[in-house]
Amino acid sequence: NAGVTQTPKFRVLKTGQSMTLLCAQDMNHEYMYWYRQDPGMGLRLIHYSVGEGTTAKGEVPDGYNVSRLKKQNFLLGLESAAPSQTSVYFCATSWGQGASNEQFFGPGTRLTVL
Amino acid sequence: QKEVEQDPGPLSVPEGAIVSLNCTYSNSAFQYFMWYRQYSRKGPELLMYTYSSGNKEDGRFTAQVDKSSKYISLFIRDSQPSDSATYLCAMSAGAQKLVFGQGTRLTINP
């Protein structure tokens, strides 16, 4: 089992360009999350999904969109990239929230916006 | 003020030392407390999980929760160079999203 995978691993964009990050899981988890990790800021939740066809905003959603058309995939889109979006992006999955809220993380995508 | 505060370090100790990592929090509704370990250029992975107050031990690792002081700790005994990583505390209030600390970068020197 691959667990949680992320594509691509690295990407460099110019300001204003768009891109989509793909998260795929084979754990049959209902919940999926997108975080960004910046120095001194820890992990901040961008968007999350509680099941196929659902999405919800997290702590820092501005400038990002997401889609969950299939249970196993969660896409994060940047429509017009800005230098402030330079970060490491992590996808995570879990069975549920609360007591069953162990989150399993992917390896991350390092994004640089010039 | 952040809901969860964690000293980012860096923290550097010699091999074999006892390491103490800590987080404070402000939300008294938090009941589930976790410690994640993140190696360089990898995703975080769950290390310890504790519900409510008390201690939990797993090998060389001990997690403590003091809800009255809103303070959690992770102790590492007989620290090894392989323990060098960033340690993130995380917590949630029942069916709520996880809130992470900033992470503490730890280096164990041989």
Side-chain angles (χ1 to χ4, degrees):
Chain A
N1 290 346
V4 182
T5 59
Q6 292 183 231
T7 309
K9 289 184 171 53
F10 305 93
R11 186 73 186 268
V12 178
L13 289 179
K14 294 181 179 179
T15 297
Q17 288 185 319
S18 63
M19 77 164 293
T20 301
L21 284 69
L22 170 64
C23 176
Q25 55 116 346
D26 62 4
M27 306 176 80
N28 202 32
H29 285 171
E30 290 292 337
Y31 288 65
M32 297 187 76
Y33 313 82
W34 276 109
Y35 292 92
R36 58 178 291 172
Q37 187 174 38
D38 303 291
M41 302 294 289
L43 285 162
R44 292 184 292 170
L45 184 64
I46 304 170
H47 285 281
Y48 66 101
S49 168
V50 301
E52 181 179 320
T54 74
T55 62
K57 294 180 179 180
E59 181 186 355
V60 289
D62 294 343
Y64 305 94
N65 57 75
V66 287
S67 64
R68 182 100 181 267
L69 298 179
K70 294 182 179 181
K71 183 177 182 178
Q72 63 268 33
N73 295 338
F74 195 28
L75 280 66
L76 178 71
L78 286 73
E79 289 188 350
S80 180
S84 61
Q85 294 177 304
T86 294
S87 188
V88 182
Y89 292 86
F90 287 100
C91 174
T93 72
S94 68
W95 282 111
Q97 296 195 114
S100 55
N101 199 15
E102 177 181 355
Q103 293 189 13
F104 295 82
F105 285 81
T109 295
R110 293 183 174 273
L111 175 66
T112 301
V113 182
L114 302 175
Chain B
Q1 182 186 3
K2 294 180 180 178
E3 272 192 297
V4 179
E5 296 277 1
Q6 183 177 9
D7 185 343
L11 181 62
S12 181
V13 301
E15 183 176 355
I18 296 175
V19 176
S20 173
L21 304 169
N22 311 294
C23 289
T24 59
Y25 62 95
S26 58
N27 187 346
S28 58
F30 286 148
Q31 299 179 71
Y32 302 93
F33 303 92
M34 303 172 191
W35 286 95
Y36 280 80
R37 179 174 60 194
Q38 183 178 21
Y39 289 115
S40 180
R41 297 184 174 267
K42 301 288 186 183
E45 55 182 356
L46 183 66
L47 183 63
M48 299 280 287
Y49 162 76
T50 308
Y51 171 69
S52 194
S53 286
N55 294 358
K56 186 173 184 178
E57 190 173 318
D58 183 2
R60 297 184 294 110
F61 298 88
T62 300
Q64 283 187 355
V65 175
D66 182 349
K67 292 190 73 178
S68 62
S69 301
K70 297 190 180 67
Y71 189 86
I72 71 170
S73 300
L74 177 71
F75 297 96
I76 307 174
R77 292 185 301 279
D78 187 25
S79 56
Q80 304 294 311
S82 59
D83 296 326
S84 298
T86 295
Y87 290 81
L88 301 111
C89 62
M91 44 199 82
S92 73
Q96 299 294 324
K97 297 175 289 296
L98 277 182
V99 180
F100 285 86
Q102 298 96 309
T104 299
R105 188 172 177 181
L106 172 67
T107 301
I108 309 297
N109 300 302

PDB file of all heavy atoms in Angstrom, chain A residues 32-62:
ATOM      1  N   MET A  32      -9.933  14.192   4.383  1.00  0.00           N
ATOM      2  CA  MET A  32      -8.670  14.593   3.769  1.00  0.00           C
ATOM      3  C   MET A  32      -8.435  16.071   4.025  1.00  0.00           C
ATOM      4  O   MET A  32      -9.386  16.849   4.143  1.00  0.00           O
ATOM      5  CB  MET A  32      -8.668  14.288   2.258  1.00  0.00           C
ATOM      6  CG  MET A  32      -8.796  12.795   1.954  1.00  0.00           C
ATOM      7  SD  MET A  32      -8.600  12.379   0.216  1.00  0.00           S
ATOM      8  CE  MET A  32      -6.817  12.527  -0.002  1.00  0.00           C
ATOM      9  N   TYR A  33      -7.162  16.437   4.133  1.00  0.00           N
ATOM     10  CA  TYR A  33      -6.788  17.791   4.536  1.00  0.00           C
ATOM     11  C   TYR A  33      -5.637  18.291   3.667  1.00  0.00           C
ATOM     12  O   TYR A  33      -4.791  17.520   3.240  1.00  0.00           O
ATOM     13  CB  TYR A  33      -6.296  17.805   5.993  1.00  0.00           C
ATOM     14  CG  TYR A  33      -7.169  17.063   6.988  1.00  0.00           C
ATOM     15  CD1 TYR A  33      -7.072  15.681   7.127  1.00  0.00           C
ATOM     16  CD2 TYR A  33      -8.063  17.756   7.796  1.00  0.00           C
ATOM     17  CE1 TYR A  33      -7.861  15.001   8.045  1.00  0.00           C
ATOM     18  CE2 TYR A  33      -8.854  17.080   8.720  1.00  0.00           C
ATOM     19  CZ  TYR A  33      -8.745  15.706   8.836  1.00  0.00           C
ATOM     20  OH  TYR A  33      -9.527  15.035   9.756  1.00  0.00           O
ATOM     21  N   TRP A  34      -5.586  19.600   3.481  1.00  0.00           N
ATOM     22  CA  TRP A  34      -4.424  20.257   2.907  1.00  0.00           C
ATOM     23  C   TRP A  34      -3.892  21.267   3.921  1.00  0.00           C
ATOM     24  O   TRP A  34      -4.635  22.109   4.430  1.00  0.00           O
ATOM     25  CB  TRP A  34      -4.764  21.001   1.610  1.00  0.00           C
ATOM     26  CG  TRP A  34      -4.755  20.136   0.408  1.00  0.00           C
ATOM     27  CD1 TRP A  34      -5.809  19.706  -0.331  1.00  0.00           C
ATOM     28  CD2 TRP A  34      -3.593  19.607  -0.246  1.00  0.00           C
ATOM     29  NE1 TRP A  34      -5.394  18.926  -1.368  1.00  0.00           N
ATOM     30  CE2 TRP A  34      -4.036  18.856  -1.348  1.00  0.00           C
ATOM     31  CE3 TRP A  34      -2.216  19.694  -0.002  1.00  0.00           C
ATOM     32  CZ2 TRP A  34      -3.158  18.192  -2.202  1.00  0.00           C
ATOM     33  CZ3 TRP A  34      -1.345  19.042  -0.853  1.00  0.00           C
ATOM     34  CH2 TRP A  34      -1.817  18.298  -1.940  1.00  0.00           C
ATOM     35  N   TYR A  35      -2.581  21.148   4.217  1.00  0.00           N
ATOM     36  CA  TYR A  35      -1.896  22.072   5.112  1.00  0.00           C
ATOM     37  C   TYR A  35      -0.760  22.747   4.356  1.00  0.00           C
ATOM     38  O   TYR A  35      -0.220  22.208   3.396  1.00  0.00           O
ATOM     39  CB  TYR A  35      -1.245  21.317   6.286  1.00  0.00           C
ATOM     40  CG  TYR A  35      -2.188  20.690   7.281  1.00  0.00           C
ATOM     41  CD1 TYR A  35      -2.610  19.374   7.132  1.00  0.00           C
ATOM     42  CD2 TYR A  35      -2.614  21.403   8.397  1.00  0.00           C
ATOM     43  CE1 TYR A  35      -3.449  18.781   8.072  1.00  0.00           C
ATOM     44  CE2 TYR A  35      -3.450  20.817   9.345  1.00  0.00           C
ATOM     45  CZ  TYR A  35      -3.860  19.510   9.169  1.00  0.00           C
ATOM     46  OH  TYR A  35      -4.683  18.932  10.092  1.00  0.00           O
ATOM     47  N   ARG A  36      -0.346  23.893   4.878  1.00  0.00           N
ATOM     48  CA  ARG A  36       0.907  24.480   4.458  1.00  0.00           C
ATOM     49  C   ARG A  36       1.778  24.614   5.699  1.00  0.00           C
ATOM     50  O   ARG A  36       1.271  24.836   6.824  1.00  0.00           O
ATOM     51  CB  ARG A  36       0.724  25.837   3.761  1.00  0.00           C
ATOM     52  CG  ARG A  36       0.032  26.899   4.542  1.00  0.00           C
ATOM     53  CD  ARG A  36      -0.025  28.213   3.734  1.00  0.00           C
ATOM     54  NE  ARG A  36       1.282  28.817   3.582  1.00  0.00           N
ATOM     55  CZ  ARG A  36       1.540  29.884   2.795  1.00  0.00           C
ATOM     56  NH1 ARG A  36       0.556  30.445   2.103  1.00  0.00           N
ATOM     57  NH2 ARG A  36       2.757  30.366   2.699  1.00  0.00           N
ATOM     58  N   GLN A  37       3.079  24.451   5.490  1.00  0.00           N
ATOM     59  CA  GLN A  37       4.029  24.539   6.596  1.00  0.00           C
ATOM     60  C   GLN A  37       5.083  25.580   6.266  1.00  0.00           C
ATOM     61  O   GLN A  37       5.804  25.455   5.278  1.00  0.00           O
ATOM     62  CB  GLN A  37       4.692  23.191   6.869  1.00  0.00           C
ATOM     63  CG  GLN A  37       5.563  23.181   8.123  1.00  0.00           C
ATOM     64  CD  GLN A  37       6.102  21.798   8.446  1.00  0.00           C
ATOM     65  OE1 GLN A  37       6.465  21.030   7.555  1.00  0.00           O
ATOM     66  NE2 GLN A  37       6.162  21.452   9.736  1.00  0.00           N
ATOM     67  N   ASP A  38       5.153  26.595   7.092  1.00  0.00           N
ATOM     68  CA  ASP A  38       6.122  27.671   6.929  1.00  0.00           C
ATOM     69  C   ASP A  38       6.967  27.765   8.194  1.00  0.00           C
ATOM     70  O   ASP A  38       6.477  27.473   9.289  1.00  0.00           O
ATOM     71  CB  ASP A  38       5.387  28.996   6.692  1.00  0.00           C
ATOM     72  CG  ASP A  38       4.473  28.930   5.485  1.00  0.00           C
ATOM     73  OD1 ASP A  38       5.010  28.857   4.371  1.00  0.00           O
ATOM     74  OD2 ASP A  38       3.245  28.925   5.661  1.00  0.00           O
ATOM     75  N   PRO A  39       8.214  28.221   8.066  1.00  0.00           N
ATOM     76  CA  PRO A  39       9.100  28.324   9.237  1.00  0.00           C
ATOM     77  C   PRO A  39       8.466  29.154  10.346  1.00  0.00           C
ATOM     78  O   PRO A  39       7.976  30.262  10.104  1.00  0.00           O
ATOM     79  CB  PRO A  39      10.344  29.008   8.659  1.00  0.00           C
ATOM     80  CG  PRO A  39      10.335  28.651   7.218  1.00  0.00           C
ATOM     81  CD  PRO A  39       8.891  28.614   6.818  1.00  0.00           C
ATOM     82  N   GLY A  40       8.462  28.613  11.564  1.00  0.00           N
ATOM     83  CA  GLY A  40       7.934  29.337  12.710  1.00  0.00           C
ATOM     84  C   GLY A  40       6.415  29.388  12.799  1.00  0.00           C
ATOM     85  O   GLY A  40       5.875  29.964  13.733  1.00  0.00           O
ATOM     86  N   MET A  41       5.737  28.785  11.805  1.00  0.00           N
ATOM     87  CA  MET A  41       4.272  28.870  11.788  1.00  0.00           C
ATOM     88  C   MET A  41       3.607  27.520  12.011  1.00  0.00           C
ATOM     89  O   MET A  41       2.396  27.446  12.156  1.00  0.00           O
ATOM     90  CB  MET A  41       3.789  29.437  10.443  1.00  0.00           C
ATOM     91  CG  MET A  41       4.337  30.804  10.112  1.00  0.00           C
ATOM     92  SD  MET A  41       3.750  32.060  11.246  1.00  0.00           S
ATOM     93  CE  MET A  41       2.045  32.173  10.750  1.00  0.00           C
ATOM     94  N   GLY A  42       4.364  26.453  12.015  1.00  0.00           N
ATOM     95  CA  GLY A  42       3.765  25.148  12.170  1.00  0.00           C
ATOM     96  C   GLY A  42       2.927  24.765  10.962  1.00  0.00           C
ATOM     97  O   GLY A  42       3.120  25.290   9.861  1.00  0.00           O
ATOM     98  N   LEU A  43       1.992  23.870  11.159  1.00  0.00           N
ATOM     99  CA  LEU A  43       1.090  23.426  10.105  1.00  0.00           C
ATOM    100  C   LEU A  43      -0.208  24.227  10.185  1.00  0.00           C
ATOM    101  O   LEU A  43      -0.850  24.277  11.236  1.00  0.00           O
ATOM    102  CB  LEU A  43       0.778  21.937  10.276  1.00  0.00           C
ATOM    103  CG  LEU A  43       1.879  20.962   9.877  1.00  0.00           C
ATOM    104  CD1 LEU A  43       1.617  19.602  10.486  1.00  0.00           C
ATOM    105  CD2 LEU A  43       1.975  20.855   8.376  1.00  0.00           C
ATOM    106  N   ARG A  44      -0.584  24.822   9.079  1.00  0.00           N
ATOM    107  CA  ARG A  44      -1.833  25.581   9.047  1.00  0.00           C
ATOM    108  C   ARG A  44      -2.776  24.961   8.025  1.00  0.00           C
ATOM    109  O   ARG A  44      -2.388  24.706   6.893  1.00  0.00           O
ATOM    110  CB  ARG A  44      -1.555  27.049   8.701  1.00  0.00           C
ATOM    111  CG  ARG A  44      -0.792  27.786   9.803  1.00  0.00           C
ATOM    112  CD  ARG A  44      -0.634  29.262   9.461  1.00  0.00           C
ATOM    113  NE  ARG A  44       0.263  29.452   8.332  1.00  0.00           N
ATOM    114  CZ  ARG A  44       0.420  30.619   7.708  1.00  0.00           C
ATOM    115  NH1 ARG A  44      -0.261  31.671   8.090  1.00  0.00           N
ATOM    116  NH2 ARG A  44       1.276  30.717   6.700  1.00  0.00           N
ATOM    117  N   LEU A  45      -4.007  24.755   8.441  1.00  0.00           N
ATOM    118  CA  LEU A  45      -4.995  24.081   7.611  1.00  0.00           C
ATOM    119  C   LEU A  45      -5.543  25.027   6.546  1.00  0.00           C
ATOM    120  O   LEU A  45      -6.034  26.114   6.857  1.00  0.00           O
ATOM    121  CB  LEU A  45      -6.133  23.562   8.498  1.00  0.00           C
ATOM    122  CG  LEU A  45      -7.215  22.752   7.806  1.00  0.00           C
ATOM    123  CD1 LEU A  45      -6.648  21.456   7.242  1.00  0.00           C
ATOM    124  CD2 LEU A  45      -8.348  22.441   8.793  1.00  0.00           C
ATOM    125  N   ILE A  46      -5.491  24.574   5.287  1.00  0.00           N
ATOM    126  CA  ILE A  46      -5.966  25.404   4.175  1.00  0.00           C
ATOM    127  C   ILE A  46      -7.438  25.076   3.873  1.00  0.00           C
ATOM    128  O   ILE A  46      -8.313  25.933   3.948  1.00  0.00           O
ATOM    129  CB  ILE A  46      -5.117  25.164   2.916  1.00  0.00           C
ATOM    130  CG1 ILE A  46      -3.633  25.426   3.199  1.00  0.00           C
ATOM    131  CG2 ILE A  46      -5.590  26.073   1.767  1.00  0.00           C
ATOM    132  CD1 ILE A  46      -2.708  24.990   2.069  1.00  0.00           C
ATOM    133  N   HIS A  47      -7.677  23.832   3.499  1.00  0.00           N
ATOM    134  CA  HIS A  47      -9.022  23.317   3.243  1.00  0.00           C
ATOM    135  C   HIS A  47      -9.071  21.870   3.692  1.00  0.00           C
ATOM    136  O   HIS A  47      -8.028  21.223   3.816  1.00  0.00           O
ATOM    137  CB  HIS A  47      -9.357  23.375   1.751  1.00  0.00           C
ATOM    138  CG  HIS A  47      -9.671  24.727   1.204  1.00  0.00           C
ATOM    139  ND1 HIS A  47     -10.886  25.342   1.368  1.00  0.00           N
ATOM    140  CD2 HIS A  47      -8.909  25.574   0.468  1.00  0.00           C
ATOM    141  CE1 HIS A  47     -10.872  26.516   0.747  1.00  0.00           C
ATOM    142  NE2 HIS A  47      -9.685  26.681   0.198  1.00  0.00           N
ATOM    143  N   TYR A  48     -10.274  21.356   3.885  1.00  0.00           N
ATOM    144  CA  TYR A  48     -10.404  19.953   4.217  1.00  0.00           C
ATOM    145  C   TYR A  48     -11.699  19.412   3.623  1.00  0.00           C
ATOM    146  O   TYR A  48     -12.542  20.170   3.127  1.00  0.00           O
ATOM    147  CB  TYR A  48     -10.341  19.724   5.726  1.00  0.00           C
ATOM    148  CG  TYR A  48     -11.490  20.308   6.518  1.00  0.00           C
ATOM    149  CD1 TYR A  48     -12.542  19.519   6.955  1.00  0.00           C
ATOM    150  CD2 TYR A  48     -11.509  21.665   6.849  1.00  0.00           C
ATOM    151  CE1 TYR A  48     -13.583  20.053   7.682  1.00  0.00           C
ATOM    152  CE2 TYR A  48     -12.546  22.207   7.579  1.00  0.00           C
ATOM    153  CZ  TYR A  48     -13.571  21.408   7.993  1.00  0.00           C
ATOM    154  OH  TYR A  48     -14.609  21.939   8.718  1.00  0.00           O
ATOM    155  N   SER A  49     -11.835  18.081   3.678  1.00  0.00           N
ATOM    156  CA  SER A  49     -13.015  17.421   3.125  1.00  0.00           C
ATOM    157  C   SER A  49     -13.418  16.288   4.066  1.00  0.00           C
ATOM    158  O   SER A  49     -12.568  15.540   4.536  1.00  0.00           O
ATOM    159  CB  SER A  49     -12.692  16.853   1.743  1.00  0.00           C
ATOM    160  OG  SER A  49     -13.712  15.972   1.304  1.00  0.00           O
ATOM    161  N   VAL A  50     -14.709  16.197   4.336  1.00  0.00           N
ATOM    162  CA  VAL A  50     -15.198  15.147   5.231  1.00  0.00           C
ATOM    163  C   VAL A  50     -15.771  13.972   4.453  1.00  0.00           C
ATOM    164  O   VAL A  50     -16.326  13.042   5.045  1.00  0.00           O
ATOM    165  CB  VAL A  50     -16.230  15.684   6.247  1.00  0.00           C
ATOM    166  CG1 VAL A  50     -15.613  16.798   7.087  1.00  0.00           C
ATOM    167  CG2 VAL A  50     -17.483  16.162   5.547  1.00  0.00           C
ATOM    168  N   GLY A  51     -15.650  14.015   3.126  1.00  0.00           N
ATOM    169  CA  GLY A  51     -16.115  12.910   2.313  1.00  0.00           C
ATOM    170  C   GLY A  51     -16.174  13.319   0.856  1.00  0.00           C
ATOM    171  O   GLY A  51     -16.062  14.508   0.518  1.00  0.00           O
ATOM    172  N   GLU A  52     -16.359  12.320  -0.008  1.00  0.00           N
ATOM    173  CA  GLU A  52     -16.439  12.582  -1.443  1.00  0.00           C
ATOM    174  C   GLU A  52     -17.484  13.650  -1.734  1.00  0.00           C
ATOM    175  O   GLU A  52     -18.599  13.602  -1.221  1.00  0.00           O
ATOM    176  CB  GLU A  52     -16.791  11.288  -2.165  1.00  0.00           C
ATOM    177  CG  GLU A  52     -16.882  11.396  -3.656  1.00  0.00           C
ATOM    178  CD  GLU A  52     -17.211  10.050  -4.292  1.00  0.00           C
ATOM    179  OE1 GLU A  52     -16.667   9.026  -3.841  1.00  0.00           O
ATOM    180  OE2 GLU A  52     -18.032  10.037  -5.233  1.00  0.00           O
ATOM    181  N   GLY A  53     -17.100  14.631  -2.563  1.00  0.00           N
ATOM    182  CA  GLY A  53     -18.016  15.684  -2.963  1.00  0.00           C
ATOM    183  C   GLY A  53     -18.160  16.835  -1.994  1.00  0.00           C
ATOM    184  O   GLY A  53     -18.907  17.776  -2.255  1.00  0.00           O
ATOM    185  N   THR A  54     -17.436  16.775  -0.855  1.00  0.00           N
ATOM    186  CA  THR A  54     -17.536  17.860   0.138  1.00  0.00           C
ATOM    187  C   THR A  54     -16.196  18.555   0.295  1.00  0.00           C
ATOM    188  O   THR A  54     -15.142  17.934   0.162  1.00  0.00           O
ATOM    189  CB  THR A  54     -17.958  17.334   1.521  1.00  0.00           C
ATOM    190  OG1 THR A  54     -16.852  16.653   2.139  1.00  0.00           O
ATOM    191  CG2 THR A  54     -19.142  16.405   1.421  1.00  0.00           C
ATOM    192  N   THR A  55     -16.232  19.856   0.569  1.00  0.00           N
ATOM    193  CA  THR A  55     -15.033  20.609   0.912  1.00  0.00           C
ATOM    194  C   THR A  55     -15.424  21.678   1.922  1.00  0.00           C
ATOM    195  O   THR A  55     -16.590  22.088   1.992  1.00  0.00           O
ATOM    196  CB  THR A  55     -14.385  21.284  -0.308  1.00  0.00           C
ATOM    197  OG1 THR A  55     -15.294  22.217  -0.869  1.00  0.00           O
ATOM    198  CG2 THR A  55     -13.975  20.265  -1.359  1.00  0.00           C
ATOM    199  N   ALA A  56     -14.451  22.128   2.698  1.00  0.00           N
ATOM    200  CA  ALA A  56     -14.697  23.170   3.686  1.00  0.00           C
ATOM    201  C   ALA A  56     -13.422  23.978   3.879  1.00  0.00           C
ATOM    202  O   ALA A  56     -12.320  23.471   3.659  1.00  0.00           O
ATOM    203  CB  ALA A  56     -15.156  22.573   5.012  1.00  0.00           C
ATOM    204  N   LYS A  57     -13.578  25.232   4.299  1.00  0.00           N
ATOM    205  CA  LYS A  57     -12.439  26.109   4.501  1.00  0.00           C
ATOM    206  C   LYS A  57     -11.774  25.835   5.839  1.00  0.00           C
ATOM    207  O   LYS A  57     -12.430  25.528   6.831  1.00  0.00           O
ATOM    208  CB  LYS A  57     -12.889  27.573   4.439  1.00  0.00           C
ATOM    209  CG  LYS A  57     -13.375  28.008   3.081  1.00  0.00           C
ATOM    210  CD  LYS A  57     -13.797  29.477   3.088  1.00  0.00           C
ATOM    211  CE  LYS A  57     -14.267  29.906   1.701  1.00  0.00           C
ATOM    212  NZ  LYS A  57     -14.687  31.328   1.700  1.00  0.00           N
ATOM    213  N   GLY A  58     -10.467  25.985   5.838  1.00  0.00           N
ATOM    214  CA  GLY A  58      -9.706  25.874   7.059  1.00  0.00           C
ATOM    215  C   GLY A  58      -9.291  27.233   7.562  1.00  0.00           C
ATOM    216  O   GLY A  58     -10.008  28.221   7.391  1.00  0.00           O
ATOM    217  N   GLU A  59      -8.092  27.298   8.115  1.00  0.00           N
ATOM    218  CA  GLU A  59      -7.587  28.516   8.744  1.00  0.00           C
ATOM    219  C   GLU A  59      -7.109  29.559   7.728  1.00  0.00           C
ATOM    220  O   GLU A  59      -7.283  30.758   7.927  1.00  0.00           O
ATOM    221  CB  GLU A  59      -6.436  28.134   9.678  1.00  0.00           C
ATOM    222  CG  GLU A  59      -5.801  29.262  10.447  1.00  0.00           C
ATOM    223  CD  GLU A  59      -4.579  28.788  11.241  1.00  0.00           C
ATOM    224  OE1 GLU A  59      -4.292  27.566  11.251  1.00  0.00           O
ATOM    225  OE2 GLU A  59      -3.893  29.639  11.827  1.00  0.00           O
ATOM    226  N   VAL A  60      -6.495  29.095   6.627  1.00  0.00           N
ATOM    227  CA  VAL A  60      -5.898  30.009   5.643  1.00  0.00           C
ATOM    228  C   VAL A  60      -6.327  29.645   4.235  1.00  0.00           C
ATOM    229  O   VAL A  60      -5.520  29.251   3.389  1.00  0.00           O
ATOM    230  CB  VAL A  60      -4.353  30.021   5.770  1.00  0.00           C
ATOM    231  CG1 VAL A  60      -3.917  30.727   7.027  1.00  0.00           C
ATOM    232  CG2 VAL A  60      -3.790  28.599   5.731  1.00  0.00           C
ATOM    233  N   PRO A  61      -7.615  29.805   3.866  1.00  0.00           N
ATOM    234  CA  PRO A  61      -8.103  29.329   2.579  1.00  0.00           C
ATOM    235  C   PRO A  61      -7.908  30.279   1.390  1.00  0.00           C
ATOM    236  O   PRO A  61      -8.034  29.859   0.237  1.00  0.00           O
ATOM    237  CB  PRO A  61      -9.605  29.157   2.850  1.00  0.00           C
ATOM    238  CG  PRO A  61      -9.902  30.237   3.844  1.00  0.00           C
ATOM    239  CD  PRO A  61      -8.677  30.317   4.721  1.00  0.00           C
ATOM    240  N   ASP A  62      -7.611  31.562   1.679  1.00  0.00           N
ATOM    241  CA  ASP A  62      -7.590  32.559   0.598  1.00  0.00           C
ATOM    242  C   ASP A  62      -6.510  32.255  -0.418  1.00  0.00           C
ATOM    243  O   ASP A  62      -5.354  32.018  -0.074  1.00  0.00           O
ATOM    244  CB  ASP A  62      -7.401  33.956   1.180  1.00  0.00           C
ATOM    245  CG  ASP A  62      -8.593  34.396   2.018  1.00  0.00           C
ATOM    246  OD1 ASP A  62      -9.671  33.776   1.875  1.00  0.00           O
ATOM    247  OD2 ASP A  62      -8.446  35.336   2.816  1.00  0.00           O
TER     248      ASP A  62
END
